[in-house]
Amino acid sequence: MDYVIEMLNIRKEFPGIVANDNITLQVKQGEIHALLGENGAGKSTLMNVLFGLYQPEKGEIRVRGEKVKITDPNVANHLGIGMVHQHFMLIDTFTVTENIVLGSEPKKLGLSIDLKKAEEDVRKISEQYGLKVDPAAKISDISVGMQQRVEILKTLYRGADILIFDEPTAVLTPQEIHELIDIMHNLVKEGKSIILITHKLKEIMEVADRCTVIRKGKGIKTVNVSETNPNELASLMVGREVSFKTEKGPAQPKETVLSIENLVVKDARKVDMVRGLNLEVKAGEIVGIAGVDGNGQTELIEAITGLRPVESGMISLKGKDITNLSPRKVTESGVGHIPQDRHKFGLVLDFPIGENMVLQTYYQEPFSRKGILNFKQIYDKAKALIDEFDVRTPSEYTKARALSGGNQQKAIIGREVDRSPDLLIAAQPTRGLDVGAIEFIHKKLIEERDKGRAVLLLSFELDEIMNVSDRIAVMYEGEIVATVKPEDTTEEELGLLMAGSKKQKVGES
Amino acid sequence: MSANKAINILIPIISVLLGLIAGAIIMLVFGYSPVEGYKALWEGAFGDIYFIGETVRQITPYILSGLAVAFAFRTGLFNIGVEGQVIVGWLAAVWIGVAFDLPMIVHLPLAIAAAALAGAFWGFIPGLLKAKLRVHEVIVTIMLNYTALYIANHIIRNVITEQKDRTESVAKSASLQAEWLTEWTQYSTMHMGIILALVAAFLMWFLLEKTTRGFELRAVGFNQHASNYAGMNVDRNIILSMVISGAFAGIAGAMEGLGTFGYMSVRSGFTNIGFDGIAVALLGGNTALGVVLAAGLFGSLKVGALNMPLAGVPTELVDIVVALIIFFVASSYMIRWLLSRFKKEGK
């Protein structure tokens, strides 16, 4: 039997829903097997069953041909199954080595931790698999990509040879993704098997050998990646045809809505992150900001929306100076903002989704009068927005926390678009979402443009920038180094501009 | 949803029962009869109208100090300084009560307002420090508890009186005691403050759940970043929350100063009303109704305990039972886990 993992006819129910309905997943020794599905399709549930966090109602699990019962994660560990979580489980103030050995530390005389041996072990494993990490560095001092390597090392240190990667690229930059793909290939070369949970088709095409698609809790099909294409995968996943090229007519830019002159913004450490930036966004166009993360994009958006003080320079909206206004004043002047981090900024997760829909407008009529909230109006409004923007939630009284990422994002977009702002800022609006939701969000952004609104899009995904923008402003070290039209450029050229090579000939718009 | 709500109500009830059972076991171990002990406790709290009066009197400040802790907590702040705010409230109420001679309709509200203001000011200091300088409110409020205690002692001894250990009794026009109530409860120390406490509980519920201000306070409590993004003034809400919390605590002090005692004496230690308020808020799940119920339980236990020596059980044991109840509430995670386990097996 050459299957290393077999999950046969797994069924897992939760009150009210069947999360996994008769799913079968068979992983061969030494392959990278992708598990593809939309958010909420049941991928994580299936993996949690394999990892022993949930017990299935029906079905059986075989590991290396032997029938097993995985009652908790320790059993999974003993069977050589390791999980690299999407949200890292690391202690910030510990070193890399300390995090890796945590829970199974090598001991000196059975008492103190033998850190020297631990560091040596970590170094050996990391060299074996080509995972470059400094074993003595503190977690808080290393990049997200490095932290992920520590997570991988943790599973390897515990002797895992079946690794589950839960959406590993969601938090990585394009360069880090390339490095991760190399690491995965190395792992397979060393005899490991990998299950890759993802909804990014490009990655599957690039690394996976086979792919199992699940949709709404059901196993749809397992395909050989070499015999398929992204379009087929996408329609298997969503259950209908999906267009990748976003349909849109040419932009019809009108008057200038947002104008930024010589903007300087510092970050929390008082370092200049935006350095004399100039930018214009007109009504009826989408301007995409391309750039490698950390070149001042976040600070730029926070400055426009009033969340971060402006050192010098001017931001004006339809000719009105909005520099250094409070977030509320900025909102009231007509700026909608889909924030980068929807959990931290976009929503109060412990509020019902309905109350989140009026997060900026609760103090206005009809949602309140003389300081007293009118819940009927609030929830009527929320219900209308939930219907209009296809937010899938049991009810408008459900806590925002209980919704899937895609639906949370749709709710935020509904709220921001509905306030009919002159300027809509969308910061990484599709991060972590599946194709269906991405398509929907792109369509909405273009609809807003066509209604004559100015849209400023920030994204680290070049595909998205190329697809959706009418103009692309490349940001490098706090400045816009070039402005190009998507039809006049290529991803390669953008990549070079983002890396700071100003020599490239640039088509001015 | 509704299953969750049922669990939220079930947990404090189970905690209380477990505490009572543990208390019974301890009484048995030390050779006392738990049946006699609990009977005396019950009699001592609700045996006749006098005891009921005493119990209500004890519940009154607990409701207010519980509200104070709960209110701050709902905005994400841990107000350990309720104790100090109670003391300054008590002092302010008594001071106004002895210093003036006014018609009751002016004097009593004035004394209570002074208590609320004093408590609010004592809450404003840590609120301001937290909002502007990010100084942790727990540290500041703990320090301010001692500051309040010794300032109050100094003022009583040197300002209000001349080297005496207690103030005069407050004027009748500033007293919460009512003759008909005293007579009706067979000369218990019960006073009108309970009405004020219940009104305060209603106000807290209304403010938090029904107003835009409450919407902001709750939002800030859950997520400061999102609140800031949504245009709310986070700093102002933090300060406001501490001020309102302090005002509730100050009024709790007025209950003692204008109602139960009618004066204030130099203290060698804390009143514990504020500290017990933390437990009341915790047991009550930081909601207005929960606080009223939890205060009811705490007050009954406290007063009923005074009767337990009649059954030969030392009052210290009652403190142990109360402590056990708090312990079981604090470890509600354990009970939650047991409940979910139980539900699974039942399925």
Side-chain angles (χ1 to χ4, degrees):
Chain A
M1 185 51 67
D2 60 349
Y3 288 124
V4 57
I5 294 267
E6 288 177 275
M7 300 181 79
L8 303 171
N9 306 318
I10 299 294
R11 182 181 175 87
K12 175 71 199 164
E13 291 170 28
F14 291 110
I17 48 163
V18 183
N20 286 166
D21 186 3
N22 213 20
I23 295 184
T24 293
L25 173 72
Q26 292 172 305
V27 181
K28 287 181 188 162
Q29 168 65 37
E31 74 167 344
I32 300 180
H33 193 111
L35 186 57
L36 175 68
E38 286 190 284
N39 289 321
K43 294 171 301 208
S44 302
T45 307
L46 188 66
M47 286 304 105
N48 284 334
V49 167
L50 180 60
F51 201 54
L53 291 166
Y54 295 146
Q55 298 306 312
E57 261 79 39
K58 257 191 228 154
E60 68 174 67
I61 301 174
R62 290 165 184 268
V63 176
R64 296 177 204 89
E66 255 173 73
K67 193 176 164 185
V68 292
K69 207 168 158 61
I70 303 175
T71 46
D72 65 74
N74 288 328
V75 178
N77 279 332
H78 281 300
L79 291 167
I81 302 170
M83 183 122 154
V84 179
H85 295 273
Q86 183 181 4
H87 300 285
F88 304 148
M89 318 245 170
L90 299 171
I91 301 171
D92 274 356
T93 51
F94 277 18
T95 66
V96 168
T97 303
E98 285 167 337
N99 267 286
I100 290 170
V101 301
L102 191 67
S104 44
E105 306 88 349
K107 302 255 173 66
K108 243 191 247 169
L109 301 169
L111 283 170
S112 65
I113 299 172
D114 189 347
L115 264 184
K116 237 172 133 186
K117 182 175 180 319
E119 237 169 73
E120 202 42 53
D121 289 349
V122 169
R123 206 182 297 275
K124 236 189 270 160
I125 304 173
S126 63
E127 274 164 18
Q128 186 185 349
Y129 297 99
L131 289 151
K132 265 180 275 158
V133 223
D134 173 7
K138 261 194 191 159
I139 295 295
S140 51
D141 296 338
I142 61 178
S143 71
V144 172
M146 283 292 169
Q147 292 180 11
Q148 188 173 55
R149 292 180 182 191
V150 176
E151 282 284 353
I152 298 171
L153 282 170
K154 255 165 77 179
T155 64
L156 294 173
Y157 182 81
R158 283 162 178 71
D161 46 30
I162 303 151
L163 280 83
I164 306 169
F165 282 82
D166 186 3
E167 313 241 349
T169 58
V171 288
L172 301 183
T173 63
Q175 282 85 344
E176 287 173 329
I177 292 176
H178 276 295
E179 288 167 16
L180 175 68
I181 286 172
D182 288 342
I183 291 169
M184 288 165 87
H185 282 138
N186 274 334
L187 288 168
V188 171
K189 222 182 288 160
E190 295 283 329
K192 309 284 178 191
S193 311
I194 292 177
I195 301 176
L196 171 67
I197 308 177
T198 186
H199 50 245
K200 290 193 182 159
L201 303 167
K202 222 166 124 185
E203 279 158 23
I204 293 178
M205 298 308 295
E206 216 168 319
V207 293
D209 301 305
R210 295 194 307 145
C211 173
T212 295
V213 186
I214 59 179
R215 180 168 82 226
K216 290 182 181 154
K218 291 195 169 71
I220 299 298
K221 201 175 176 184
T222 300
V223 293
N224 286 323
V225 171
S226 56
E227 294 161 14
T228 184
N229 58 56
N231 278 323
E232 189 197 1
L233 286 178
S235 46
L236 282 174
M237 167 165 81
V238 184
R240 60 180 164 84
E241 287 295 313
V242 178
S243 69
F244 285 101
K245 193 76 192 158
T246 318
E247 295 293 325
K248 63 169 192 188
Q252 285 156 340
K254 293 187 197 70
E255 78 282 6
T256 301
V257 172
L258 175 74
S259 129
I260 300 174
E261 286 164 38
N262 294 319
L263 186 73
V264 178
V265 185
K266 289 186 192 300
D267 69 1
R269 294 163 301 162
K270 301 281 168 215
V271 178
D272 284 358
M273 288 306 281
V274 179
R275 301 176 183 142
L277 177 139
N278 292 289
L279 181 70
E280 272 195 357
V281 185
K282 296 189 171 71
E285 71 166 350
I286 299 177
V287 173
I289 295 183
V292 179
D293 193 6
N295 276 285
Q297 296 97 322
T298 309
E299 287 76 11
L300 169 66
I301 297 218
E302 289 182 350
I304 301 172
T305 50
L307 292 167
R308 186 174 287 283
V310 171
E311 288 299 315
S312 64
M314 184 158 117
I315 305 169
S316 57
L317 188 77
K318 288 187 135 182
K320 211 181 115 212
D321 186 1
I322 60 162
T323 320
N324 276 332
L325 289 186
S326 70
R328 170 144 304 165
K329 287 268 157 53
V330 173
T331 305
E332 285 173 348
S333 345
V335 178
H337 177 198
I338 299 159
Q340 236 179 98
D341 188 333
R342 56 177 165 266
H343 286 173
K344 196 169 166 190
F345 291 98
L347 296 165
V348 177
L349 289 172
D350 293 298
F351 270 11
I353 191 69
E355 291 180 30
N356 270 295
M357 288 301 204
V358 294
L359 210 54
Q360 295 110 326
T361 47
Y362 62 91
Y363 62 94
Q364 295 167 351
E365 287 197 38
F367 307 124
S368 65
R369 274 196 66 183
K370 299 199 165 73
I372 308 293
L373 294 167
N374 184 337
F375 284 102
K376 186 169 179 330
Q377 291 284 349
I378 289 173
Y379 281 102
D380 282 353
K381 177 84 207 174
K383 206 166 169 4
L385 283 176
I386 284 168
D387 289 344
E388 188 185 339
F389 285 84
D390 189 30
V391 181
R392 307 220 178 114
T393 168
S395 89
E396 55 272 31
Y397 300 99
T398 307
K399 278 192 181 161
R401 189 181 289 289
L403 270 59
S404 73
N407 285 309
Q408 290 174 343
Q409 191 72 343
K410 283 191 209 166
I412 294 175
I413 290 171
R415 179 182 75 202
E416 297 308 310
V417 165
D418 180 66
R419 288 193 287 112
S420 306
D422 299 314
L423 171 68
L424 180 64
I425 298 173
Q428 297 205 67
T430 59
R431 182 161 75 162
L433 304 187
D434 55 64
V435 248
I438 293 175
E439 196 190 12
F440 178 88
I441 286 165
H442 287 170
K443 227 166 68 196
K444 282 289 169 193
L445 291 181
I446 292 162
E447 257 176 52
E448 286 307 294
R449 177 199 76 170
D450 292 342
K451 282 187 214 156
R453 289 178 187 140
V455 179
L456 182 63
L457 169 72
L458 164 66
S459 176
F460 299 129
E461 311 249 356
L462 278 183
D463 287 352
E464 179 162 58
I465 292 278
M466 292 287 275
N467 249 327
V468 182
S469 321
D470 301 312
R471 273 196 304 142
I472 301 171
V474 182
M475 194 161 173
Y476 176 71
E477 295 198 331
E479 286 176 72
I480 301 296
V481 290
T483 310
V484 294
K485 293 205 164 185
E487 56 270 26
D488 301 338
T489 187
T490 59
E491 292 206 9
E492 286 67 38
E493 190 195 19
L494 279 180
L496 283 169
L497 287 168
M498 283 158 61
S501 83
K502 286 192 199 184
K503 278 173 285 175
Q504 276 289 319
K505 204 171 83 53
V506 169
E508 282 291 331
S509 68
Chain B
M1 256 322 245
S2 59
N4 256 338
K5 242 178 205 162
I7 284 187
N8 284 341
I9 296 168
L10 219 55
I11 283 173
I13 294 174
I14 293 178
S15 309
V16 170
L17 286 178
L18 285 176
L20 290 174
I21 292 168
I25 293 170
I26 288 175
M27 277 191 258
L28 271 177
V29 168
F30 284 94
Y32 304 107
S33 156
V35 177
E36 289 301 311
Y38 282 137
K39 214 173 113 190
L41 180 76
W42 176 262
E43 293 283 318
F46 307 108
D48 64 32
I49 189 88
Y50 168 81
F51 287 122
I52 292 175
E54 285 298 312
T55 301
V56 170
R57 185 265 302 158
Q58 185 70 44
I59 290 169
T60 307
Y62 278 163
I63 291 177
L64 286 157
S65 66
L67 291 177
V69 177
F71 193 90
F73 199 82
R74 290 289 289 276
T75 317
L77 297 165
F78 202 6
N79 184 3
I80 308 259
V82 172
E83 182 64 36
Q85 292 145 17
V86 167
I87 293 174
V88 295
W90 187 337
L91 179 73
V94 169
W95 201 343
I96 297 288
V98 297
F100 299 99
D101 212 357
L102 297 161
M104 190 167 190
I105 194 122
V106 185
H107 202 180
L108 183 57
L110 186 69
I112 292 168
L117 272 177
F121 176 69
W122 227 247
F124 171 76
I125 300 168
L128 185 74
L129 289 171
K130 168 92 176 187
K132 297 293 173 203
L133 301 170
R134 302 286 151 205
V135 184
H136 203 286
E137 74 276 12
V138 166
I139 295 167
V140 181
T141 50
I142 289 177
M143 293 305 165
L144 281 176
N145 284 343
Y146 289 97
T147 320
L149 178 65
Y150 296 117
I151 288 179
N153 283 351
H154 175 83
I155 290 179
I156 293 167
R157 205 170 268 143
N158 301 305
V159 183
I160 304 183
T161 72
E162 280 170 29
Q163 302 300 321
K164 291 206 182 95
D165 284 343
R166 57 159 278 197
T167 65
E168 299 290 310
S169 289
V170 297
K172 248 188 140 103
S173 54
S175 172
L176 279 164
Q177 289 187 356
E179 254 168 56
W180 65 269
L181 199 59
T182 314
E183 271 171 33
W184 182 51
T185 58
Q186 296 174 356
Y187 299 93
S188 81
T189 49
M190 184 180 167
H191 52 83
M192 307 293 284
I194 185 68
I195 297 165
L196 207 64
L198 292 175
V199 169
F202 174 79
L203 276 180
M204 160 162 157
W205 169 81
F206 187 81
L207 179 63
L208 277 180
E209 307 296 338
K210 298 287 162 194
T211 68
T212 53
R213 177 60 63 195
F215 187 84
E216 284 192 16
L217 288 166
R218 285 185 292 127
V220 170
F222 282 130
N223 186 343
Q224 294 192 3
H225 297 287
S227 307
N228 187 29
Y229 152 88
M232 300 170 192
N233 187 331
V234 172
D235 288 354
R236 197 174 63 199
N237 278 299
I238 286 175
I239 297 172
L240 183 71
S241 165
M242 284 302 285
V243 164
I244 295 174
S245 169
F248 279 134
I251 298 173
M255 296 300 110
E256 301 296 87
L258 306 177
T260 311
F261 293 93
Y263 59 85
M264 188 171 190
S265 47
V266 169
R267 306 193 65 92
S268 57
F270 289 125
T271 67
N272 280 332
I273 294 166
F275 295 129
D276 289 345
I278 296 170
V280 168
L282 181 67
L283 184 64
N286 295 309
T287 64
L289 181 63
V291 163
V292 171
L293 296 175
L297 178 77
F298 269 71
S300 313
L301 286 173
K302 199 102 179 173
V303 172
L306 300 174
N307 203 37
M308 281 176 85
L310 290 183
V313 185
T315 48
E316 285 82 356
L317 259 184
V318 179
D319 289 336
I320 293 176
V321 175
V322 173
L324 283 170
I325 291 170
I326 298 168
F327 168 80
F328 282 110
V329 174
S331 49
S332 66
Y333 172 77
M334 191 174 73
I335 297 169
R336 206 175 282 267
W337 180 77
L338 281 173
L339 276 180
S340 65
R341 196 74 193 216
F342 197 68
K343 251 174 51 185
K344 249 191 212 157
E345 309 226 317
K347 222 163 109 181

